């Protein structure tokens, strides 16, 4: 079985120049990345955020001969396709137009399907090829391929040395085949665009450029010159842009932007996936790629791909080339928005329905949220997928293979929700005064909430045209009626500390409803979801969180506790800044509401004497008694109240052997309506 995922390189013909004319070079990075995170010793055992690579694969390719073969296939394939554009050194003069080609193993799994006296051992491997900007860590191209070549053995010989040798050899041959495949396909899939712009004026330390988002220059783009100078765009209008120097060794006036897709060429807010929570050994990178492809080109925001192994790769490249690592890398700024994805364990079971047939049932649930720079959730989505297959003995897909299909389907639906559901509106507010580090903002429409991050813009003239210059980033402190007070945090250009004057503007892109911003909500730090009862249910916390973040009239912040195995938002962003080319001294200051916090609670039991079954317990009726809701705590960790409901849920057609799986699917169906009532109760009680 072979699964292909499209490259991040959808065409925009009017901008693209032919590859032969693109003034870039490719440096093949030595080694294979993705194996440094550890491996899963037992292929059948999983844990939260567990490894997506089994140790049998790691051991199979921990072989100098195989690694050399893969490296040679990689280099030979690149040279055959691109000739002299493949280089073996990066100099200070070429660093701005050299991109690092790297191979990365996203996942390697192993599972067994027994068929009487024989068994099939499936060994799916996913390999990715990336082109990464060595100066910024931005990925301009990413393509993945999956190959699963099963081996057949006698059931009695599954644990034999001969089988272990066969697994090792199959993993090795799969790696070599995938290396050759993704390398050969790069030539046909890679489409390069180059947009040239020039400096037409200078305003203090800011550079004003002659092109804007209509010509493909967008905020947070990083542009380079032939002299190796690097600038970052901090504001883009329709026909001009404003940039600040990042690395300036000369006095360059002409700069170029290199891109491979329209996501990098539009005036859209940028978002970065900072966390993917998994429980069954799924590849985080593969999940992110499926989601990203589903979001597509038509979304109102741009997903900014990064190389999570950028630090390790940059260190390796620095040692292999003349690149001065400490001076040149880790200069990247954070985007405007963050995304977290939560993948609930796929529910899967198989039950006999005839003498020779079985029914396979799969249920997948995925959640995601978009978060702004203050930590507020501005959009939350939830998607599901169900598969029911009737198969004959020995003729169907394995449960593991179909679980992957259900998960992929759910992720595609989730990405499409983000594409259609997020629409940004721009607010243009006025600064009414300033005093010291504080400024006053007129906000009659209540677009601003406490903790929100905003930018201050100064209107002026440059090169004979009206321009807006972003001068400060600020944080909203408090509101009194239509007047908002914000604190100036740090200047946009580190070379300028410009005064803020009455009449300066606040431009705000937001997707969140205005609602009632006087009181915000957050999950209590240190108080995770409390769940009691005889039925294990992973989904309550995420369902509760999604319902409050998507249905409540009050702002909800992602800065409190997470779920089992989830990294706190601030820690996730800090980890990303350390590993993907962002500034080392990045100040990540999210807002944490202090008025009150919530702790999700669930008690679920089977009602006594409610179970009625047929003789073999393959068809049972039962009643679940569920009490769900949230406890409220103040900033002193004192309980101040609760919201909740108790409800009975009648279930029919339950197979006793798979009752927990069936209970969970029923709970996923019943809980959203119940939680909506709890949110309405919470909103109306304050």
């Amino acid at each position: 079985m072979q699964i292909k995922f499209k490259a991040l390189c959808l065409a925009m013909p009017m901008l693209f120049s032919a590859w032969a004319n693109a003034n870039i070079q490719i440096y093949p990075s030595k080694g294979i990345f993705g194996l440094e995170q550890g491996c899963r010793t037992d292929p059948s055992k999983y844990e939260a955020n567990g490894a997506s690579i089994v140790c049998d694969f790691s051991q199979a390719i921990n072989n100098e001969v195989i690694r050399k073969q893969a490296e040679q296939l990689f280099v030979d394939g690149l040279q055959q396709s691109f000739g002299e554009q493949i280089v073996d050194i990066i100099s200070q003069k070429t660093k701005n137009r050299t991109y690092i080609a790297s191979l990365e193993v996203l996942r390697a799994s192993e599972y067994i399907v027994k068929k009487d006296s024989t068994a099939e051992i499936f060994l799916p491997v996913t390999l990715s090829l990336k082109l990464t900007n060595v100066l910024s860590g931005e990925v301009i191209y990413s393509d993945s391929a999956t190959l699963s070549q099963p081996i057949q053995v006698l059931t009695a010989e599954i644990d034999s040395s001969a089988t272990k040798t066969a697994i090792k050899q199959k993993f090795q041959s799969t790696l070599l085949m995938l290396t050759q495949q993704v390398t050969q396909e790069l030539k046909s899939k890679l489409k390069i665009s180059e947009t040239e712009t020039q400096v037409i004026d200078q305003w203090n330390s800011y550079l004003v450029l002659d092109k804007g988002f209509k010509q493909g220059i967008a905020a947070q783009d990083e542009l380079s010159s032939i002299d190796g100078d690097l600038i970052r765009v901090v504001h883009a209008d329709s026909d001009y842009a404003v940039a600040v120097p990042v690395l300036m060794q000369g006095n360059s006036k002409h700069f170029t932007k290199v891109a491979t897709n329209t996501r990098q060429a539009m005036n859209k807010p940028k978002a970065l996936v900072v966390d993917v929570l998994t429980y069954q050994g799924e590849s985080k990178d593969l999940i992110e790629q499926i989601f990203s492809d589903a979001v597509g080109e038509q979304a109102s925001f741009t997903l900014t791909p990064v190389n999570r192994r950028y630090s390790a790769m940059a260190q390796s490249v620095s040692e292999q080339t003349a690149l001065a690592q400490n001076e040149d890398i880790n200069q990247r700024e954070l985007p405007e928005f963050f995304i977290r994805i939560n993948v609930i364990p796929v529910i899967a079971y198989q039950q006999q329905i005839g003498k020779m047939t079985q029914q396979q049932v799969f249920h997948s649930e995925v959640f995601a949220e978009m978060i702004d720079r203050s930590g507020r959730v501005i959009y939350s989505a939830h998607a599901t997928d169900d598969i029911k297959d009737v198969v004959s003995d020995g003729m169907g897909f394995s449960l593991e293979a179909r679980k992957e299909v259900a998960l992929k389907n759910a992720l595609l639906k989730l990405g499409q929700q983000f594409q259609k559901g997020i629409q940004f509106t721009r607010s243009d507010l006025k600064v009414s005064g300033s005093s010291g580090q504080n400024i006053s903002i007129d906000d009659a429409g209540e677009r601003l909430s406490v903790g929100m991050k905003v930018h201050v813009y100064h209107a002026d003239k440059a090169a004979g045209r009206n321009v807006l210059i972003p001068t400060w980033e600020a944080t909203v402190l408090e509101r009194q009626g239509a007047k908002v007070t914000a604190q100036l945090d740090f200047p946009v250009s580190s070379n300028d500390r410009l005064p803020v004057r009455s009449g300066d503007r606040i431009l705000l892109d937001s997707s969140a409803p205005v609602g009632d911003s006087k009181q915000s909500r957050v999950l209590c730090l240190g108080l995770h979801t409390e769940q009691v009862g005889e039925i294990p249910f992973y989904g309550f916390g995420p369902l509760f969180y999604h319902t409050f973040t998507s249905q409540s009239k009050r702002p909800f912040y992602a800065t409190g506790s997470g779920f089992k195995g989830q990294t706190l938002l601030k820690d996730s962003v800090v980890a990303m800044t350390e590993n993907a080319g962002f500034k080392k001294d990045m100040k990540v200051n999210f807002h944490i509401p202090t008025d009150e916090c919530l702790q999700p609670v669930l008690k679920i039991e089977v009602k006594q004497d409610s179970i009625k079954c047929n003789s073999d317990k393959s068809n049972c009726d039962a009643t679940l008694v569920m009490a769900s809701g949230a406890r409220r705590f103040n900033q002193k960790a004192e309980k101040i109240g609760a919201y909740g409901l108790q409800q009975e849920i009648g279930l029919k057609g339950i197979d006793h052997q798979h009752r927990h799986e069936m209970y969970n699917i029923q709970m996923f169906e019943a809980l959203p309506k119940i939680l909506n009532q709890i949110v309405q109760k919470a909103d109306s009680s304050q």
Side-chain angles (χ1 to χ4, degrees):
M1 179 177 65
Q2 197 164 353
I3 305 173
K4 291 291 296 168
F5 296 100
K6 66 181 181 179
L8 304 179
C9 54
L10 298 183
M12 188 173 171
M14 67 180 64
L15 288 180
F16 287 143
S17 61
W19 168 262
N21 296 326
N23 187 29
I24 77 167
Q25 298 179 345
I26 296 178
Y27 174 89
S29 178
K30 297 176 177 60
I32 298 174
F33 296 92
L35 304 176
E36 67 280 357
Q37 301 298 317
C39 59
R40 195 165 70 249
T41 304
D42 186 340
S44 63
K45 289 187 178 179
Y46 303 101
E47 59 184 6
N49 290 314
S52 60
I53 296 173
V54 294
C55 291
D56 280 350
F57 177 84
S58 299
Q59 293 165 5
I61 67 169
N62 186 20
N63 179 297
E64 189 68 20
V65 174
I66 295 299
R67 287 177 177 263
K68 287 292 184 183
Q69 288 182 30
E71 184 178 313
Q72 197 61 50
L73 285 172
F74 186 44
V75 174
D76 290 347
L78 292 174
Q79 288 179 338
Q80 184 176 354
S81 296
F82 302 114
E84 294 181 355
Q85 288 177 295
I86 306 301
V87 298
D88 58 7
I89 191 168
I90 305 174
S91 70
Q92 293 299 318
K93 290 185 178 180
T94 62
K95 64 187 179 184
N96 64 298
R97 55 189 176 90
T98 304
Y99 293 82
I100 312 302
S102 61
L103 293 175
E104 182 178 330
V105 179
L106 301 187
R107 65 92 179 254
S109 302
E110 179 180 338
Y111 52 88
I112 301 171
V113 178
K114 295 181 180 180
K115 299 178 179 180
D116 297 325
S117 61
T118 63
E120 277 191 312
I121 303 177
F122 289 84
L123 304 167
V125 178
T126 302
L127 186 70
S128 171
L129 189 156
K130 295 179 179 179
L131 289 183
T132 305
N133 183 329
V134 74
L135 296 181
S136 68
E138 184 174 10
V139 177
I140 68 166
Y141 173 92
S142 177
D143 190 27
S144 299
T146 296
L147 186 61
S148 181
Q149 299 186 94
I151 59 174
Q152 292 186 334
V153 299
L154 294 174
T155 302
E157 296 181 358
I158 287 177
D159 296 321
S160 69
S161 59
T163 298
K164 293 184 183 301
T165 299
I167 290 173
K168 176 181 177 180
Q169 292 173 345
K170 187 62 71 174
F171 271 141
Q172 291 173 343
S173 64
T174 298
L175 174 67
L176 297 179
M177 292 176 66
L178 286 173
T179 298
Q180 192 167 32
Q181 179 179 331
V182 296
T183 306
Q184 289 176 344
E185 292 177 348
L186 177 62
K187 175 70 172 180
S188 61
K189 292 183 176 181
L190 181 62
K191 305 296 181 185
I192 293 291
S193 72
E194 290 183 288
T195 304
E196 295 182 352
T197 184
Q198 63 178 335
V199 178
I200 55 174
D201 205 346
Q202 184 164 345
W203 191 90
N204 289 306
S205 64
Y206 296 83
L207 304 176
V208 181
L209 309 178
D210 68 342
K211 292 181 180 176
F213 60 76
K214 284 186 177 179
Q215 296 82 30
I217 303 296
Q220 294 194 328
D221 281 346
E222 292 189 341
L223 315 179
S224 59
S225 73
I226 60 174
D227 298 322
D229 292 341
L230 190 68
I231 61 175
R232 178 182 300 111
V233 176
V234 292
H235 174 65
D237 212 312
S238 60
D239 59 354
Y240 77 90
V242 180
V244 295
V246 177
L247 295 169
M248 295 291 286
Q249 299 170 335
N251 191 28
S252 302
K253 297 296 183 183
H254 295 269
F255 290 86
T256 301
K257 170 186 174 178
V258 175
T260 58
N261 55 71
T262 58
R263 297 177 195 178
Q264 298 165 318
M266 291 293 178
N267 184 43
K268 301 176 181 179
K270 289 181 169 59
L272 178 67
V273 176
V274 294
D275 191 34
V276 178
L277 176 60
T278 64
Y279 294 94
Q280 294 182 323
E282 303 93 341
S283 165
K284 298 174 183 289
D285 297 270
L286 198 54
I287 287 168
E288 181 180 340
Q289 183 173 316
I290 296 170
F291 172 80
S292 175
D293 286 345
V295 168
E297 302 295 320
Q298 304 304 315
S300 60
F301 62 95
T302 297
L303 276 171
T304 302
V306 299
N307 192 329
R308 297 181 186 276
R309 276 83 185 186
Y310 170 74
S311 291
M313 186 187 71
Q315 177 64 42
S316 172
V317 169
S318 178
E319 293 170 353
Q320 298 164 20
T321 71
L323 189 67
Q325 181 186 357
N326 291 333
E327 298 176 6
D328 293 332
I329 70 170
N330 298 322
Q331 299 290 336
R332 200 172 188 187
E333 296 282 356
L334 288 176
E336 297 98 316
F337 300 103
F338 308 108
I339 291 175
R340 296 195 299 188
I341 301 173
N342 189 348
V343 178
I344 302 299
V346 177
I347 301 170
Y349 64 91
Q350 179 172 293
Q351 60 183 145
Q352 200 75 24
I353 59 173
K355 291 183 178 180
M356 299 292 291
T357 58
Q358 302 87 33
Q359 184 178 53
Q360 295 179 340
V361 177
F362 307 88
H363 183 85
S364 179
E365 300 261 345
V366 290
F367 298 82
E369 57 186 320
M370 179 176 278
I371 305 160
D372 68 18
R373 288 281 294 275
S374 70
R376 180 183 177 183
V377 179
I378 65 168
Y379 183 76
S380 178
H382 166 222
T384 68
D385 188 68
D386 290 282
I387 298 176
K388 292 183 179 180
D389 289 336
V390 176
V391 299
S392 300
D393 280 340
M395 299 299 291
F397 291 100
S398 70
L399 288 178
E400 291 294 331
R402 296 300 278 166
K403 282 168 65 175
E404 289 190 8
V405 173
L407 173 56
K408 181 184 178 183
N409 291 342
L411 287 169
L412 291 174
K413 294 176 184 177
L414 186 70
Q416 291 164 4
Q417 286 189 46
F418 266 67
Q419 179 194 99
K420 298 174 182 177
I422 298 180
Q423 297 298 325
F424 289 96
T425 57
R426 170 156 287 191
S427 301
D428 191 343
L429 309 176
K430 298 289 186 183
V431 174
S432 57
S434 64
S435 176
Q437 285 297 108
N438 288 349
I439 60 173
S440 299
I441 305 169
D442 293 330
D443 181 27
E446 296 193 6
R447 302 299 304 185
L448 303 176
S449 58
V450 174
M452 185 176 289
K453 305 290 184 182
V454 297
H455 282 97
V456 181
Y457 291 80
H458 178 70
D460 212 325
K461 286 271 190 180
R465 66 182 78 186
N466 296 320
V467 299
L468 288 176
I469 308 291
T471 57
W472 285 87
E473 181 169 303
T475 302
V476 176
L477 296 179
E478 62 178 359
R479 168 184 294 279
Q480 293 184 347
K483 290 288 184 182
V484 168
T485 300
Q487 173 185 287
L488 298 178
D489 294 332
F490 51 84
V492 173
S493 173
S494 58
N495 295 318
D496 292 320
R497 296 184 66 87
L498 301 167
V500 177
R501 298 182 175 90
S502 178
D504 282 355
R505 295 158 65 178
I506 307 293
L507 300 183
L508 181 69
D509 289 318
S510 178
S511 176
V514 176
D516 185 347
S517 62
K518 296 181 179 64
Q519 184 168 354
S520 302
R521 293 194 174 100
V522 68
L523 294 185
C524 298
L525 281 168
L527 289 177
H528 292 284
T529 300
E530 181 178 301
Q531 184 172 328
V532 295
E534 60 191 270
I535 302 173
F537 182 53
Y538 267 100
F540 178 71
L543 276 174
F544 174 95
Y545 182 83
H546 165 70
T547 309
F548 266 89
T549 53
S550 62
Q551 302 298 323
S552 176
K553 298 176 182 178
R554 316 278 179 178
F556 205 103
Y557 282 78
T559 49
S561 282
F563 307 112
K564 180 182 178 182
Q566 188 176 48
T567 305
L568 291 177
L569 176 62
K570 182 175 181 178
D571 293 342
S572 295
V573 175
V574 168
M576 179 61 74
T577 66
E578 291 174 344
N579 298 321
F582 294 90
K583 286 184 174 179
K584 290 296 184 183
D585 59 348
M586 195 72 68
K587 296 179 177 63
V588 183
N589 296 314
F590 290 121
H591 176 63
I592 302 178
T594 56
D595 292 337
E596 73 168 37
C597 65
L598 303 180
Q599 179 194 24
V601 291
L602 174 70
K603 182 178 181 179
I604 179 170
E605 294 178 320
V606 179
K607 187 176 182 180
Q608 189 173 3
D609 300 326
S610 71
I611 300 177
K612 309 294 182 184
C613 297
N614 61 1
S615 58
D616 63 359
K617 294 187 176 182
S618 64
N619 193 315
C620 302
D621 295 344
T623 299
L624 300 183
V625 180
M626 183 186 68
S628 60
R631 299 188 185 111
R632 299 168 55 208
F633 295 84
N634 62 20
Q635 57 185 317
K636 296 180 181 179
E638 299 168 334
K639 183 180 175 182
I640 57 175
Y643 317 114
L645 289 173
Q646 180 167 311
Q647 189 162 339
E648 292 189 356
I649 302 174
L651 307 178
K652 294 184 180 299
I654 301 296
D655 184 333
H656 183 76
Q657 182 181 355
H658 304 293
R659 62 190 183 282
H660 284 165
E661 290 89 346
M662 290 182 165
Y663 288 160
N664 270 250
I665 292 175
Q666 295 277 2
M667 293 299 295
F668 275 120
E669 293 175 355
L671 262 172
K673 292 181 180 179
I674 297 170
L675 290 172
N676 279 339
Q677 296 177 47
I678 293 173
V679 169
Q680 293 171 12
K681 184 177 180 181
D683 282 351
S684 63
S685 66
Q686 298 177 12

